[in-house]
Amino acid sequence: MIFDVPPDTAIQVEGVHVYIQMLDFAAAMTERERETEASHRRVLSMLHLNYAACDQVAEEFEAQRVDFHGARMHAVIVSPPGPGNEKERAERAIAFADAAKRAIEEVGRTTENGRYSTRVRVGVDSGSAVAVNSGTKDEREPLFLGAPANYAAKLAEGDEEGIFMSNRVRKDLGLQPLFSIDTLAAERASPTSSMGNIGLSAHRGFQSKRLSDAAIVTAASRARSRFVLDVGTDATFSFHRHTPPLKTIDFALLMPSNSIRMGLMSIFGDIDGFTKYVDECIAEHRIGEMVSNLHVIRSELAATLSEDYSGRKVRFIGDCIHGLLAEGTSHETDASASVVSAVKAAGGMRSSFELCQDELGGLDKLGIAIGLEFGETPITRIGIRGERSVRCSVSRAVSRSEDLQADCSGDQTALGPTAFSHAPASIRRLFEGGVALGLDAESVGEHLGSPPIVSSGTVSAAAAPYSAGER
């Protein structure tokens, strides 16, 4: 289990990575094009229900759920382990993807007159990746570093439902690969929603592992039962405001009946070029260096956001950090002041990252892309109770800040349209066209006439040693 990997250890694992995407998640967030308490209750209920369905199916296939992030689940099939078992793992992964898709569709169809129904898209890739488990006891941060996890996520992107396999998975299954100038585009355009169109309807390994309709109904029933036990109906999601600063949010106290909803800034910071860096480190047997560097960068970014700018980290998603920040009182959020603070925090995060580059080796080709947006946003904890529960913050602001970051290069910071509309003139001048270049703590301080905050992170300390192994 990845959750059992010691925090000072990195393990190279051969496995099949599965990304499950709920396509109608965005539509569930709005009601007549507006975000309301009711629409946020609906989308959180939808996620809570479908997380339960995915976890029920994962147990059937010995799939390890790595994480949920909004509308996406990341799982990995690592058994049976070892070389020579690639076909068996691929068959099990495709059967798991098929079962998870059918279970989500079944719970959506049979729960509350179909109000949580969604189409499902799945991306599947196989290969070697590095498993790491960091974070704290209450906020574990498991992840897989390497090409297959990232590639499966890319295959899960798109508007068409179905299961989308990489050529590596096709090869493992003994199927004909796709040939194209743009292989990824071809794979993303070739769904296996009809298993017969790639020969899986006659594939003995897949058929022997495919869950029966009765098993799917059972898994859906168990997911609904857990949903009713935890939530009842979506009206049980109860919201309150959290008095800023958001760094004082304790996720251990949050649950459906004790959730936060308020206007705030969502911040996404992604290490640009890190996937290529990971591939190089794996190929050159520099896994210890790579994981130590990631550990320090993560710690530094989280410390900068929380200690220097009083924001709250929601989670790490691979090499990406998602955080929240707000200024105001117990009664209302000061949108303008929140935008200013978030821009300062973004500048501080870039300076912290650049400090990591100066102090650590091998990071000179990397950058950090940052996206910022403002909006009403719920914050809660859903899914399995206890340490496997999921810290969850979803809204248009969260989705937009993530999309903005994805569109940025490693020296860019983007400010979303709602945040821009609330920003004072001094901030607007920094973001011509919504994007600022090379925005660090010093440049923000000079522009606003305030001294930059010196990072309170731990980058100057020795990186925590990591041992590398294989499974």
Side-chain angles (χ1 to χ4, degrees), residues 117-374:
S117 295
T118 179
R119 296 167 300 132
V120 181
R121 181 182 175 106
V122 187
V124 188
D125 191 27
S126 66
S128 179
V130 177
V132 179
N133 184 21
S134 59
T136 65
K137 180 179 179 181
D138 294 328
E139 297 186 10
R140 294 192 178 188
E141 303 284 358
L143 76 151
F144 277 85
L145 299 168
N150 289 284
Y151 204 82
K154 290 179 181 179
L155 290 172
E157 296 174 355
D159 296 324
E160 185 179 0
E161 63 181 318
I163 300 171
F164 296 76
M165 300 187 300
S166 70
N167 274 343
R168 283 178 288 274
V169 176
R170 292 173 186 272
K171 179 182 177 183
D172 291 343
L173 290 170
L175 300 174
Q176 184 70 29
L178 299 173
F179 296 101
S180 174
I181 296 175
D182 188 339
T183 301
L184 176 60
E187 292 164 342
R188 291 178 64 179
S190 303
T192 64
S193 53
S194 170
M195 290 300 171
N197 69 0
I198 58 165
L200 282 181
S201 60
H203 199 283
R204 290 183 181 180
F206 168 74
Q207 288 296 345
S208 68
K209 295 174 180 61
R210 192 172 196 256
L211 282 191
S212 66
D213 291 340
I216 291 294
V217 170
T218 299
S221 176
R222 289 174 178 168
R224 284 196 305 273
S225 295
R226 198 171 84 195
F227 172 72
V228 172
L229 178 65
D230 290 347
V231 179
T233 68
D234 63 1
T236 309
F237 271 95
S238 299
F239 297 122
H240 66 274
R241 281 185 56 82
H242 183 86
T243 303
L246 300 191
K247 68 176 290 184
T248 59
I249 291 175
D250 185 351
F251 274 101
L253 301 178
L254 298 183
M255 61 188 73
S257 60
N258 184 38
S259 301
I260 297 167
R261 183 178 183 269
M262 59 189 291
L264 52 77
M265 289 292 296
S266 173
I267 304 173
F268 268 88
D270 182 71
I271 305 174
D272 187 50
F274 195 75
T275 299
K276 183 178 180 182
Y277 169 69
V278 169
D279 292 341
E280 290 175 353
C281 287
I282 292 175
E284 297 170 8
H285 306 288
R286 294 157 47 210
I287 293 175
E289 169 205 314
M290 175 264 292
V291 178
S292 293
N293 283 350
L294 178 65
H295 174 75
V296 174
I297 292 170
R298 277 180 153 197
S299 298
E300 181 70 10
L301 293 178
T304 300
L305 175 66
S306 175
E307 302 305 319
D308 296 340
Y309 298 96
S310 297
R312 183 62 164 102
K313 183 202 77 181
V314 178
R315 69 188 328 113
F316 290 111
I317 307 107
D319 58 336
C320 182
I321 184 173
H322 177 211
L324 307 172
L325 187 150
E327 302 287 347
T329 67
S330 59
H331 301 292
E332 64 179 354
T333 300
D334 186 331
S336 180
S338 297
V339 174
V340 173
S341 289
V343 170
K344 289 180 178 179
M349 289 166 65
R350 185 174 301 281
S351 290
S352 294
F353 178 76
E354 291 170 349
L355 182 60
C356 290
Q357 289 181 302
D358 292 339
E359 297 286 338
L360 305 174
L363 304 178
D364 53 301
K365 296 180 181 178
L366 306 183
I368 183 168
I370 302 174
L372 311 168
E373 182 57 304
F374 180 86

Side-chain angles (χ1 to χ4, degrees), residues 66-80:
V66 181
D67 199 12
F68 286 109
H69 169 52
R72 300 193 294 272
M73 176 196 191
H74 176 202
V76 61
I77 301 287
V78 298
S79 60

Side-chain angles (χ1 to χ4, degrees), residues 47-57 59 65 68 219-232 256 382-385 388-390:
L47 293 178
H48 195 66
L49 175 66
N50 288 318
Y51 287 2
C54 288
D55 278 336
Q56 287 291 332
V57 172
E59 292 177 2
R65 185 253 283 177
F68 286 109
S221 176
R222 289 174 178 168
R224 284 196 305 273
S225 295
R226 198 171 84 195
F227 172 72
V228 172
L229 178 65
D230 290 347
V231 179
I382 60 178
I384 295 176
R385 296 179 182 182
R388 293 298 311 276
S389 64
V390 180

